[in-house]
Amino acid sequence: MLNKSITLSILGLISILVLFPLGVVFITSIVPIGMTIKEAITQNYYTWENYQEAWKQGNFILAFANSTGVAIAVTFFQIVTSTTAGYALSRLSFSGRNSILLLVLATLVIPFQLLVIPIFLVLKWGNLINTYWAMILPTAANGYSIFLMRQFFLTIPIELEEAALLDGANRLQILWNILLPLSRPALVTLFLISFIAEWNDLFKPLVFTTRPELRTVQLAVAAFQEEFTNSWSVLMAVVVIVTLPIIILFLFGQKQFIRGIGTTGLKN
């Protein structure tokens, strides 16, 4: 009982430390311009006009559409490449499989920024600079996502696959009809990780695009910050607007996310 109380106390303290900055951001976002947080709390005076101003000045409709489209496209490609590569590395026996797995893991320690010049040259050679593909293709495959799916596939009993092979199913049918339905927690985890990473990405849109119509939410926030540096209330309203979709998305998939993360390290 004592150990449980200590654990709950530690978790509660950690939760407070994590949520406190978010609370400060939200409270600042509803403080009237020209007032401090202390003054607003003392007078019990708050306003939602900062959100209206932030939405109007930031032109976030186009930015939201661009970020959503890019994030969905990258997530789709990562799911396809990760499930197929993960299945091959977990179930198929071929020469050099372990070496390929080591190469996949080696990509995890290479910062994306080190690859920006060769990626830029390849995109320029393909006339893809200043297009949506410039923000999609560089991260269409991801080493961590491949490793995640491989580890989850290893937790699925191989007897299911052997039974399907005896019934005449091919590898693609086994992957589509058996493994993927059983891999829902891992797929949800992969979706959340990929989507959130792309939504928060500033580097690719900043380096590979210059056209205003390709602006993502992170570029919109950066431009907004330069223009409204002195208006902290409006700036914090922008932060809340950009962060809220990710929070809602995570809340919907948190159970599957926790289960996916918890089982990918296990092996049958």
Side-chain angles (χ1 to χ4, degrees):
M1 188 67 179
L2 180 60
N3 291 335
K4 184 177 181 180
S5 300
I6 294 175
T7 302
L8 292 176
S9 300
I10 294 175
L11 292 176
L13 179 61
I14 294 175
S15 300
I16 293 174
L17 293 175
V18 172
L19 295 177
F20 180 76
L22 299 178
V24 173
V25 169
F26 176 73
I27 293 176
T28 305
S29 70
I30 58 177
V31 170
I33 297 177
M35 295 182 63
T36 64
I37 296 179
K38 182 179 180 180
E39 292 173 345
I41 294 177
T42 302
Q43 301 177 23
N44 194 27
Y45 180 60
Y46 306 100
T47 179
W48 298 99
E49 294 180 357
N50 297 328
Y51 287 88
Q52 299 176 0
E53 181 70 15
W55 186 263
K56 181 176 65 175
Q57 297 294 336
N59 189 23
F60 282 104
I61 295 179
L62 178 62
F64 267 65
N66 288 336
S67 289
T68 302
V70 170
I72 290 177
V74 171
T75 302
F76 170 77
F77 282 116
Q78 284 199 16
I79 289 176
V80 172
T81 56
S82 299
T83 51
T84 52
Y87 175 73
L89 293 174
S90 63
R91 290 293 198 249
L92 304 183
S93 298
F94 55 90
S95 178
R97 185 180 70 171
N98 293 334
S99 299
I100 294 176
L101 177 59
L102 290 176
L103 288 176
V104 170
L105 294 177
T107 62
L108 301 180
V109 300
I110 302 176
F112 182 81
Q113 289 76 7
L114 292 181
L115 304 175
V116 65
I117 294 179
I119 291 176
F120 184 90
L121 294 176
V122 171
L123 293 175
K124 184 178 180 181
W125 174 77
N127 294 321
L128 297 176
I129 297 296
N130 273 325
T131 66
Y132 286 108
W133 290 112
M135 295 183 285
I136 295 173
L137 292 180
T139 50
N142 181 272
Y144 175 77
S145 300
I146 294 173
F147 181 72
L148 176 72
M149 294 307 302
R150 174 191 179 271
Q151 292 300 105
F152 194 88
F153 286 150
L154 290 176
T155 66
I156 299 176
I158 196 172
E159 290 79 10
L160 295 175
E161 185 175 344
E162 293 173 345
L165 289 172
L166 292 176
D167 290 337
N170 57 42
R171 294 289 184 179
L172 184 59
Q173 291 173 328
I174 292 173
L175 176 62
W176 181 259
N177 296 320
I178 298 177
L179 294 184
L180 289 185
L182 295 174
S183 303
R184 183 179 177 183
L187 292 175
V188 173
T189 301
L190 176 56
F191 175 84
L192 290 175
I193 292 175
S194 301
F195 190 94
I196 293 174
E198 291 302 316
W199 182 272
N200 293 330
D201 183 37
L202 173 64
F203 190 77
K204 286 187 301 179
L206 184 64
V207 174
F208 300 141
T209 64
T210 57
R211 292 163 52 191
E213 58 268 29
L214 297 178
R215 176 179 291 181
T216 61
V217 291
Q218 300 305 325
L219 284 179
V221 171
F224 197 94
Q225 183 178 4
E226 294 178 359
E227 185 176 355
F228 293 87
T229 304
N230 296 326
S231 182
W232 286 102
S233 297
V234 179
L235 186 58
M236 292 301 102
V238 170
V239 173
V240 174
I241 291 174
V242 172
T243 307
L244 190 59
I246 297 300
I247 294 177
I248 295 174
L249 183 65
F250 181 80
L251 291 178
F252 274 106
Q254 62 175 329
K255 291 184 179 179
Q256 297 293 336
F257 177 84
I258 295 173
R259 183 182 173 190
I261 291 294
T263 55
T264 48
L266 303 177
K267 181 177 179 181
N268 183 52

